[in-house]
């Protein structure tokens, strides 16, 4: 499966939470945070706060 790159990718700010960056990324691409999380394969309606939260979403 080929995933098309998002047209706008603002860089994360220093000490920014992942959830804040995902919100800014969604806004930059004119979609909701939930839509973006679904596109990225994350659980819908659940925006992770930190990158360590991604591990719990995808256990080995």
């Amino acid at each position: 499966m080929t995933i098309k790159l998002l047209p706008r990718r603002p860089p994360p700010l220093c000490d920014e939470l992942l959830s804040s960056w995902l919100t800014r990324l969604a806004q930059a691409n004119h979609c909701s945070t939930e839509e973006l999380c679904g596109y990225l394969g994350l659980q819908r309606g659940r925006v992770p706060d930190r990158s360590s939260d991604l591990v719990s979403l995808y256990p080995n």
Side-chain angles (χ1 to χ4, degrees):
M1 180 169 116
T2 303
I3 296 177
K4 197 168 133 183
L5 291 177
L6 295 170
R8 308 235 188 271
R9 296 180 302 277
L13 302 174
C14 183
D15 294 330
E16 181 176 27
L17 289 175
L18 179 60
S19 58
S20 175
W21 179 71
L22 287 173
T23 300
R24 290 191 313 107
L25 182 61
Q27 290 171 345
N29 287 283
H30 306 285
C31 65
S32 71
T33 307
E34 290 78 18
E35 290 172 323
L36 177 67
C37 287
Y39 175 79
L40 296 174
L42 304 175
Q43 294 176 349
R44 283 181 93 46
R46 167 98 168 57
V47 181
D49 286 327
R50 295 177 176 80
S51 59
S52 60
D53 294 340
L54 293 174
V55 174
S56 63
L57 294 175
Y58 297 102
N60 292 337

